[in-house]
Amino acid sequence: MEGVELRPDVRLPSGSVPWPFDRVRDGQSDFLLDARRTVAEGMHLLAHAPTGIGKTAVALVAALDYALVEDKLVLFLTSRQSHHRIAIETVRRIEAKGPRIPTIDLIAKHSMCLQEGAPSHGRAFQEFCDFKVKSRTCAFFTRDNSAVVAAVLQRTLHVQELVRASGACRVCPHRVAMDAAAKSRLVVCDYNYVFSEIRERFLPRLGRSLDDLVLIVDEAHNLPDRIRAHLVGDLAVMDLLKAAKEARSIDGEVAHELLGIAKSMERFLTALPSERIARKDEFLDVVEAGLQRKGGEARGYTAFVEGLAFAGEDAVRRGIPSHLPEVADFFVRWRDQDEGILRLVVPGPDGKFAFRLLDPSVLSRSVFDGIHASILMSGTLFPAEMYADLLGIATRRRVLRTYASPFPRENRLLLVSPHVTTLFVKRGKEMHDAIAREIGGIAAAVPGNLAAFFPSYELLGEAHRRLRAAHVPKQILVERPE
Ligand code: SF4
């Protein structure tokens, strides 16, 4: 396996961060030693480690131990709310035995916003919040939050607790979290905070640079796809027509130009025989043709996009729900983004121009080159070398490891039932009955407790209703979406 060996003689920090549980389990000790050495040596550990080994505790102890001594900031990156909870609970256990670790739990800004009627997500929310902040019309943002910041730094809180505390004092929870994060040693947040354009605002706000960071990437097998999802764009004729309608009350010229581009694009897509890779200049030409005016002087691509972006900001300022910022984004990215990008054109009435990021290392290579160290972990990070290549992690800094399951082989029986499926097309009353029967049968036969996992809350609800009605001989605990 490609990768470097860690030096056995590397000096490890003093170990001021205690182990949060009674003992280090079999399988955890190798992982813990590798993680400590990786962070001390400034490397990147890609750990293919099975479920149940206790990855969160290993990564947090190793990273925090170094960060507290060397004034680094640990970012625990996860996309799952349940893993936010596990990370915070683990920190609380560490604190119960050792030093206080200033920690902030952070989720997407739009999910923390207190403004009623704010756009629910995406570019529109960002524009909305930026405008509120710049124009000083968000009272939650302008109000003095120093007391709340001081309070949330006293105790490690789940993000929901932080939002409640901020809401009670009428101050913006995201601002509280960011102000407190600047004084923290650990921030639990989504991948986006590092692997998207958000990083350019996030790190300066914390007063940190890349080399101050030790990253823990939870469920790291998801990272390449999450990065790719940032550079995706689709533009159909219908999007342009909708945008033109929205723009009509804001900027007549932009609305007229959007209609012209929609017509030009429709002509192009109708004449196209089949889907194929597109050239950058094909779309630019379609736009330029759409901007032409009989006998008058037309704006060029760049001036039009500036006008469109301005109309989008104006819509947000006036509180009009708008797709104009997203459409403007497509025009900018099609023109400016080249590296690792695939451009496509699809013909016909539902046709479109589209672009996709194929190579995630375009965005992640500079991060891994710049940060102090990282621990990437997952139960399915295999082959680790492939993930290291995909993410652009330098060969001389990558440490690739596979750890054995801590559970005895006889406890890892895998059985597949050929009679049930959660396939969407097969769902229905009979299948729900069959799934509940299978679970009920296993519950009756197994002496201890039992955990059942479902791909959706809807399926969970169907099974739960039936199991309750069937009076299975065990107490049932159910996870709720909230
Ligand atoms: S500053 Fe905070 S409360 Fe105000 S709009 Fe932005 S996220 Fe919402």
Side-chain angles (χ1 to χ4, degrees):
M1 193 182 273
E2 213 187 329
V4 293
E5 284 308 312
L6 291 162
R7 286 181 14 231
D9 59 339
V10 66
R11 255 191 68 215
L12 298 175
S14 55
S16 63
V17 176
W19 184 247
F21 301 101
D22 293 342
R23 63 187 180 88
V24 179
R25 289 203 305 261
D26 292 347
Q28 271 180 326
S29 47
D30 290 347
F31 184 12
L32 184 58
L33 185 60
D34 286 340
R36 283 184 190 280
R37 285 179 174 166
T38 295
V39 177
E41 279 195 54
M43 309 287 261
H44 304 296
L45 173 63
L46 287 95
H48 170 55
T51 304
I53 197 173
K55 295 187 274 291
T56 304
V58 167
L60 282 173
V61 168
L64 286 168
D65 213 16
Y66 185 86
L68 294 188
V69 175
E70 300 294 334
D71 189 27
K72 301 289 181 195
L73 173 68
V74 178
L75 296 183
F76 187 100
L77 307 181
T78 178
S79 57
R80 296 226 218 141
Q81 295 236 7
S82 56
H83 289 214
H84 277 253
R85 250 177 268 140
I86 292 169
I88 294 298
E89 287 305 320
T90 306
V91 174
R92 286 178 172 177
R93 280 173 173 271
I94 291 171
E95 289 179 327
K97 291 181 161 190
R100 163 94 188 102
I101 297 165
T103 299
I104 287 300
D105 189 14
L106 192 61
I107 52 175
K109 198 185 208 179
H110 60 80
S111 303
M112 300 174 82
C113 181
L114 298 179
Q115 283 284 355
E116 277 176 28
S120 57
H121 64 284
R123 193 60 210 270
F125 173 79
Q126 196 50 54
E127 297 276 349
F128 169 85
C129 177
D130 283 352
F131 170 68
K132 286 274 180 196
V133 169
K134 273 190 217 146
S135 59
R136 302 188 67 75
T137 51
C138 178
F140 302 117
F141 188 85
T142 49
R143 201 165 281 130
D144 178 19
N145 69 1
S146 48
V148 189
V149 171
V152 301
L153 281 167
Q154 295 299 312
R155 212 163 68 82
T156 295
L157 299 177
H158 292 287
V159 65
Q160 294 81 3
E161 295 169 322
L162 182 146
V163 171
R164 269 200 299 277
S166 306
C169 299
R170 315 286 295 155
V171 291
C172 169
H174 192 265
R175 187 177 188 193
V176 167
M178 293 298 287
D179 289 349
K183 297 173 182 156
S184 296
R185 291 301 184 161
L186 170 66
V187 177
V188 180
C189 57
D190 190 85
Y191 304 146
N192 288 353
Y193 279 94
V194 176
F195 293 100
S196 79
E197 66 286 351
I198 296 174
R199 184 180 73 244
E200 284 154 29
R201 297 174 171 211
F202 181 54
L203 292 186
R205 190 81 167 65
L206 303 187
R208 295 285 192 168
S209 55
L210 276 178
D211 65 352
D212 288 327
L213 302 184
V214 176
L215 291 192
I216 299 171
V217 186
D218 188 35
E219 304 277 297
H221 62 280
N222 289 325
L223 186 57
D225 280 346
R226 283 293 304 275
I227 294 173
R228 284 192 192 102
H230 284 301
L231 273 183
V232 167
D234 292 74
L235 189 74
V237 172
M238 195 49 82
D239 298 320
L240 291 167
L241 294 176
K242 266 194 224 154
K245 199 170 162 195
E246 278 179 21
R248 224 182 289 155
S249 61
I250 300 163
D251 185 328
E253 188 180 0
V254 167
H256 183 74
E257 288 169 325
L258 283 164
L259 279 179
I261 297 167
K263 278 187 200 150
S264 167
M265 190 159 134
E266 194 171 24
R267 274 196 300 276
F268 183 90
L269 296 179
T270 310
L272 192 73
S274 59
E275 178 176 337
R276 62 169 170 78
I277 291 174
R279 292 192 319 275
K280 178 177 182 168
D281 58 4
E282 279 179 312
F283 179 70
L284 302 189
D285 290 347
V286 164
V287 175
E288 296 281 358
L291 292 172
Q292 292 303 320
R293 286 186 187 176
K294 278 185 202 136
E297 202 169 304
R299 291 205 274 192
Y301 191 101
T302 303
F304 157 71
V305 175
E306 276 171 17
L308 177 60
F310 192 74
E313 284 169 27
D314 209 13
V316 172
R317 256 197 300 275
R318 297 191 205 174
I320 304 170
S322 173
H323 294 95
L324 295 175
E326 265 106 359
V327 174
D329 235 24
F330 180 94
F331 281 88
V332 171
R333 290 189 161 176
W334 183 280
R335 181 193 59 196
D336 296 346
Q337 212 76 49
D338 288 320
E339 202 188 347
I341 292 287
L342 173 72
R343 293 185 171 84
L344 292 168
V345 58
V346 181
D350 299 325
K352 61 185 175 182
F353 280 91
F355 61 83
R356 305 278 180 267
L357 176 68
L358 291 186
D359 177 4
S361 73
V362 167
L363 294 179
S364 56
R365 184 186 306 276
S366 60
V367 172
F368 286 106
D369 282 349
I371 58 174
H372 171 73
S374 69
I375 300 167
L376 291 87
M377 54 192 195
S378 160
T380 51
L381 198 66
F382 190 81
E385 191 180 350
M386 179 189 83
Y387 285 96
D389 288 343
L390 276 174
L391 295 167
I393 298 175
T395 311
R396 66 189 165 73
R397 289 184 71 194
R398 56 171 81 158
V399 180
L400 311 176
R401 291 283 188 275
T402 295
Y403 300 98
S405 170
F407 301 111
R409 204 173 166 73
E410 62 274 18
N411 288 6
R412 288 186 272 141
L413 176 66
L414 284 178
L415 295 175
V416 176
S417 167
H419 309 299
V420 292
T421 175
T422 56
L423 210 63
F424 191 75
V425 289
K426 299 264 175 80
R427 288 184 194 178
K429 185 182 171 306
E430 276 176 28
M431 188 54 73
H432 295 316
D433 289 346
I435 291 173
R437 254 196 323 275
E438 289 277 348
I439 297 171
I442 296 169
V446 170
N449 292 327
L450 183 87
F453 299 91
F454 296 86
S456 72
Y457 285 106
E458 187 199 335
L459 282 175
L460 182 152
E462 295 288 352
H464 180 216
R465 266 195 298 285
R466 287 166 171 80
L467 288 167
R468 241 191 4 204
H471 301 292
V472 288
K474 284 194 165 76
Q475 188 189 3
I476 305 176
L477 302 176
V478 181
E479 181 184 298
R480 307 235 172 259
E482 65 276 12

